[in-house]
Amino acid sequence: MALSREQIAMRVARELQDGYYVNLGIGIPTLVANYVPEGMEVMLQSENGLLGMGAFPTEAEIDADLINAGKQTVTTTKGASIFSSAESFAMIRGGHVDLTVLGAFEVDVQGNIASWMIPGKLIKGMGGAMDLVAGADNIIVTMTHASKHGESKLLDRCTLPLTGAGCIKKVLTDLAWLEIEDGAFILRERAPGVSVDEIVSKTAGKLIVPDHVPEMEF
Amino acid sequence: MALSREQIAMRVARELQDGYYVNLGIGIPTLVANYVPEGMEVMLQSENGLLGMGAFPTEAEIDADLINAGKQTVTTTKGASIFSSAESFAMIRGGHVDLTVLGAFEVDVQGNIASWMIPGKLIKGMGGAMDLVAGADNIIVTMTHASKHGESKLLDRCTLPLTGAGCIKKVLTDLAWLEIEDGAFILRERAPGVSVDEIVSKTAGKLIVPDHVPEMEF
Amino acid sequence: MAGFDKVVNSYEEAMAGLESGMTVIAGGFGLCGIPENLIAQIKQMQVKDLTIVSNNCGVDGFGLGILLEDQQIRKMVSSYVGENALFEKQLLDGELEVELTPQGTLAEKMRAGGAGIPAFYTATGFGTPVAEGKEVREFNGRSYILEESITGDFAIVKGWKADRYGNVIYRHTAQNFNPMAATAGKITVVEVEEIVEPGELDPTQIHTPGIYVDRLIVGSFEKRIEQRTVRKA
Amino acid sequence: MAGFDKVVNSYEEAMAGLESGMTVIAGGFGLCGIPENLIAQIKQMQVKDLTIVSNNCGVDGFGLGILLEDQQIRKMVSSYVGENALFEKQLLDGELEVELTPQGTLAEKMRAGGAGIPAFYTATGFGTPVAEGKEVREFNGRSYILEESITGDFAIVKGWKADRYGNVIYRHTAQNFNPMAATAGKITVVEVEEIVEPGELDPTQIHTPGIYVDRLIVGSFEKRIEQRTVRKA
C-alpha cells in the first residue's frame, strides 16, 4: 500500500541524525518534526530568520512577531536564535543546514527539481525554495510517485520550469525510497506491500532496480 | 606661513556639518575631532566596527575589548553602536559615511590618491584605506604640499601605486585648500601669509588659480 | 531636528519627498514586521507607478495590498506574491508587473545594495527561469549566476525600539528583511513601537545602526496574523 | 558531546584535525578579540605551511606572531601586517608570503565564503595593485573588480559568552572579524570567556548562531593592549 502522509514523515525522520539543523518545507515535510526519534535532538531552521523553531503556541502564547516561513505562529525552543533574512539565507546558501526536506512536482534522473511553477497556472513565486535546493548538500524530496492521472513524476527530464538543476540525490515517494546517481534513479526501498513491478511501471525516468529491494517497516 | 597640524585640523573641521558621520584617519585627521564647532554634533566611525567613538579612556576605564582602528583604547559616546567588520565596511563601501579625512603621499589632477605603498620600502598593507577612498563621496585628503626635499605631492599623475582611482575631490595641504575638477587642481584658499606664487611653484600638477584666492583665517 | 535626532512627528513628514515612479524597498515577511503606517501613508499620498521591493505584497485590505486598491504599484519585486485577489487580477490584466526573485537572492540584493556591492554570484536559480538573461560563471567547478544589487529611493522599515539617533532593534522574527531594507534606501524611514533616549540601548546589540536611518517615527500597530496556528495549552 | 552541545574540554580536542598545509581563518583586529589560546594550541601542535587569513599577524611574542617563531606560517592573507620584526625578516627572506587585501574586502570575502557566494564586485582596489589580474566590470558607469570568497579548513574565533549550543555574543569591538570568520571554516572553533546554558542568551541578540559553530571551549585570556591611550580622569 502507498505510504500515508504520516508514514512518509516517519520514513524521512529515519534520515535524521542527532544534532542536525533541518529545514522542513510546507506540507508533508512539516510533519517530520513529529517523528524525531527518542533521545535525538534536531533543530529546525525557518528561512524567515529563526533557528530553533518550536511547537505552535498556545492561545496565551500567540505572538504576531513570531512566525515561521509558512507565516504560521510558532514558538522558539531553548537555545534558539533569530536573525535577518540575509543571515538566514547565508546559512542556507552557505551549506550550513544539514538536511532540507521539501516537496516537488517533478524530479529527474539528473537531479533536477521542478516545484514552483506550472505554466498556465498563476505563478505565486519560488519563495525560498530555489535557495534551499541550491544551498543544501543533503536534500530529501517528498512527493507522490505519480499524478492523480497516473503520470509519473520521476522523469528522464523535468517538463516544468526548474527550481534547481542537478541538486537532488534522494527522493521519497508514497511508493518508494530512491537515490539519484549517474543519471538514474536507484530503487532503494519500497513501501510495504508495493511491488517492484508497480514502481517500475510508475517511474518514467531511467530506473535501476538492485537485486534486493527491501520493504520499509513501520 | 604653512599651517600647523592643529590649523589643518581646524580648517578641516569647518567642513563638518551637524549630524555628520565621519571617519578620521590616523595622524592629523584624528585631530579634527578636537575642533568640532560649538553646538554641532558629529559621530566618529572607526572601521574596526564602532560608530560613536568617544575620547580616550581614563586609567580606570581602559578596556582591552574597546579599541579604534588605530588599535588605541577608546570609549563610546552616548548612542554608539558596535558591529562586525563586515557591517562596518558595508557602511563605508555603501557610501553611508558623510565625510572621510585621511592622509596621503600623493594626489593627482585625476583624483587619484597614493597613500599606502612606497616601492622599495617595507609594505605593511593598505588596511581600510582602499575601502574608505572607494566608498566615500566626500573625502578630504590632508598632506603636506611638498616633500622635505621640496618635491610637490600634487601631481599630474601619481608616481606611487594607487590607493584609489578618481576618488579625491578635496585636498588640504599645509599651504592651500584645493578642489579637483575636470583634470586640474583649483586653488580655493591659501594659508595665512602664503602667496599664490609659492603655491604655484610647489604644485606640479595642472593648477587653476581663480582671480581671488582668499586667505584662511584662524 | 538637530544633530543625530532622527525623530519626525508626523507620517506626512516621514514620507515627504516620495513621488510617483519611485522605488520603495519595504521590510517585512508576510504580514510580520511590516511598516503598516508608512504603507498607509503612501496610500494617502496617492503616488502612482511605484516599484515596490518586498518579499510579499500583503493581503487584500492590509499591508502592501492596500496600495493595489488604487493601482499605485506598477511593479513588484518579490519572492512570493498572490496572497490576495486584487493582486492576481491586476497581474492577469497586465496592470501590474512582477519580478519574481528567490527569497535569499532578494535579501542579498538588498544587503549588497546597501553595502556598495553592485553584483554577486549565487548558485540559486542556476538552470531555472530566474537565470534567463543572466551571466553564468563557474567557480571551483560549480555554476553560478550573476545577480545585481537593489537600492531604492525610499526604504520603509518596521522596528521595535529605537533611540532618537535611529539605532534600531527588532522583535523576534519581525526582523526578517527589515535590516537589509534599512541599508538600501536613499532615504530610510523607520517606524517603531517605542523611542528611547540615546544610551538606553546596548551598543553591541543594535540591529540597525543609526547611520542608515534618516527619519524615525513612533506608531501603533495592528500586527495582523496571517496564519493563526495554536496548540492546546 | 550529544545533540547540540558543542563544548569540548581541552584545547587538544578543540583543534584536533588541524594539519600542516591547511588554511586557518582567524578573528581579531590587532590584538583585540583574538583567539589567544587556540593560537597557542596551534603553536604547540607544530603544524607547518599554514595559510592564515587574518586582518593582522599579531606582534612579536603574542597573538599570531608566535606562529612565526617556528616558521609555521607559509602565507598570510591580511590587510595590515608587519607590526613585528620576525614577520618582516621572514618576508624579506622569502620564507613568508603575504597577500595584502583591503580590510573591507577581506571582511566581505570571509562573509561571502560562509554565505555561499563565490565572488562579488567591489570598487575597492580598482585602479590599484590590488586589481592586478582581476576582472574589471562596469555597473552604472562605475568600475568594479571581481573578488572571490575565502573559506578555511578551520576558523578560530574569540567570543565573550556562548551557550552550550554555540550561540555566541562578542564584547565591544572584540567582535570585529570574528562573526565572519565563524561562518567560513569547515570546522569552526570558538573560545569564550564564559559558557552559559541554552536559553540564557536572548535569541534576538545572538551575534553568531550555533549552526556555524562546531566546537566551543572556555579559556582565560591575557587581552594584551597594543596602543594604551589614556586621558586624565
Side-chain angles (χ1 to χ4, degrees), chain C residues 72-85:
Chain C
Q72 294 179 262
I73 306 176
R74 187 184 54 77
K75 180 177 173 182
M76 282 298 303
V77 180
S78 303
S79 88
Y80 196 80
V81 291
E83 294 290 7
N84 63 58

Side-chain angles (χ1 to χ4, degrees), chain B residues 34-45:
Chain B
N34 299 334
Y35 300 99
V36 179
E38 190 77 18
M40 187 182 285
E41 286 180 67
V42 302
M43 205 174 255
L44 301 181
Q45 206 259 13

Side-chain angles (χ1 to χ4, degrees), chain A residues 47-50 55-59 61-75 82-87 89-90 93 116-117 122-135 161-165 167, chain C residues 29-33 56 78-83 88 91-92 100-105 107-108 111 122-130 142 171-177 179-180 193 223-233:
Chain A
E47 64 265 30
N48 59 316
L50 170 57
F56 292 144
T58 62
E59 270 297 340
E61 287 171 339
I62 279 186
D63 189 326
D65 288 336
L66 188 51
I67 67 169
N68 66 14
K71 284 130 192 171
Q72 299 169 310
T73 45
V74 293
T75 57
I82 295 175
F83 32 80
S84 74
S85 300
E87 180 66 48
F89 283 95
R93 202 190 305 103
W116 71 287
M117 180 182 177
L122 186 77
I123 301 156
K124 292 197 170 186
M126 68 293 284
M130 285 191 183
D131 305 279
L132 281 160
V133 298
L162 298 186
T163 306
C167 40
Chain C
F29 179 88
L31 301 181
C32 181
N56 314 93
S78 303
S79 88
Y80 196 80
V81 291
E83 294 290 7
E88 199 167 323
L91 189 61
L92 295 172
L100 290 173
T101 304
Q103 196 172 133
T105 298
E108 194 65 16
R111 180 191 178 273
T122 176
T124 301
F126 168 72
T128 78
V130 164
R142 194 166 178 208
R171 191 163 172 275
H172 300 329
T173 59
Q175 180 170 168
N176 57 59
F177 282 84
M180 288 75 72
E193 299 176 40
K223 294 196 190 180
R224 195 179 292 185
I225 291 173
E226 208 161 341
Q227 303 283 343
R228 189 180 189 88
T229 45
V230 294
R231 68 182 155 88
K232 288 190 186 110

Side-chain angles (χ1 to χ4, degrees), chain C residues 7-223:
Chain C
V7 179
V8 297
N9 295 308
S10 72
Y11 277 92
E12 291 74 20
E13 210 182 327
M15 293 306 295
L18 179 67
E19 291 172 16
S20 294
M22 281 186 167
T23 295
V24 178
I25 301 183
F29 179 88
L31 301 181
C32 181
I34 59 172
E36 297 180 17
N37 304 294
L38 295 171
I39 293 167
Q41 175 61 24
I42 294 175
K43 180 169 171 66
Q44 183 123 29
M45 291 168 82
Q46 283 295 301
V47 288
K48 305 268 180 185
D49 290 322
L50 297 174
T51 295
I52 306 272
V53 183
S54 168
N55 191 58
N56 314 93
C57 192
V59 296
D60 281 324
F62 197 69
L64 290 167
I66 66 172
L67 301 185
L68 296 165
E69 293 163 6
D70 304 305
Q71 296 185 349
Q72 294 179 262
I73 306 176
R74 187 184 54 77
K75 180 177 173 182
M76 282 298 303
V77 180
S78 303
S79 88
Y80 196 80
V81 291
E83 294 290 7
N84 63 58
L86 202 48
F87 190 96
E88 199 167 323
K89 183 181 178 308
Q90 291 183 15
L91 189 61
L92 295 172
D93 291 352
E95 291 165 342
L96 181 62
E97 186 190 339
V98 175
E99 185 176 320
L100 290 173
T101 304
Q103 196 172 133
T105 298
L106 184 62
E108 194 65 16
K109 277 170 172 261
M110 288 185 194
R111 180 191 178 273
I117 291 169
F120 57 91
Y121 288 93
T122 176
T124 301
F126 168 72
T128 78
V130 164
E132 274 167 31
K134 290 173 186 162
E135 184 194 308
V136 172
R137 184 185 295 216
E138 274 199 18
F139 295 94
N140 298 316
R142 194 166 178 208
S143 297
Y144 297 84
I145 61 174
L146 183 65
E147 293 280 7
E148 296 195 16
S149 65
I150 294 179
T151 55
D153 298 295
F154 273 77
I156 56 174
V157 168
K158 160 67 173 66
W160 177 32
K161 287 186 192 177
D163 68 23
R164 292 185 158 269
Y165 289 2
N167 292 306
V168 183
I169 56 177
Y170 303 95
R171 191 163 172 275
H172 300 329
T173 59
Q175 180 170 168
N176 57 59
F177 282 84
N178 281 298
M180 288 75 72
T183 69
K186 282 199 200 87
I187 296 176
T188 291
V189 188
V190 180
E191 60 172 343
V192 294
E193 299 176 40
E194 186 185 350
I195 294 177
V196 302
E197 291 306 311
E200 288 190 36
L201 302 177
D202 179 345
T204 66
Q205 299 292 16
I206 305 296
H207 293 126
T208 292
I211 195 170
Y212 294 115
V213 177
D214 298 287
R215 302 171 192 170
L216 179 67
I217 189 165
V218 67
S220 58
F221 298 85
E222 176 185 337
K223 294 196 190 180

